Amino acid sequence: SLKLFEDVSVEPKVMAGLSRGGYAEDEFTAMELEMLMALRWHVHPPTAKSFLVHFLRLFPRDDERNHRRRHHRAHRHRIRG
């Protein structure tokens, strides 16, 4: 359910650590794949919100954009200088 409702994922290494040696990383990965195959990959699709969270990460934030503009202007000024 974590992969369905949260923006974070837990790596198999972490899960193996939480199992205190009960399971290895590859066992978690194999079981996840087995479960997906049994479900024929018919799992919960992403919500609009989760899609937007990932989509918006592709764009720079306003402060990053402004920093790039200032850097570009300063660089152009030095070249013309």
Side-chain angles (χ1 to χ4, degrees), residues 1 6 11 14 16 19 22 27 31-34 36-37 43 56 58 72-73 80:
S1 70
E6 299 295 332
E11 297 295 322
V14 173
S19 76
E27 290 177 290
M31 181 53 70
E32 183 176 37
L33 181 58
E34 188 175 327
L36 287 170
M37 297 296 276
V43 293
L56 292 175
L58 298 173
H72 182 69
R73 282 189 205 128
R80 290 183 187 165

Side-chain angles (χ1 to χ4, degrees), residues 45-75:
T47 63
K49 178 188 177 255
S50 66
F51 170 79
L52 281 175
V53 166
H54 292 290
F55 182 73
L56 292 175
R57 286 181 184 161
L58 298 173
F59 298 96
R61 296 187 333 235
D62 284 339
D63 57 331
E64 291 172 358
R65 237 182 317 202
N66 290 336
H67 173 74
R68 282 193 209 131
R69 283 186 196 135
R70 285 192 301 273
H71 177 73
H72 182 69
R73 282 189 205 128
H75 181 68

Side-chain angles (χ1 to χ4, degrees), residues 75-81:
H75 181 68
R76 272 195 336 227
H77 180 71
R78 280 185 292 223
I79 292 173
R80 290 183 187 165

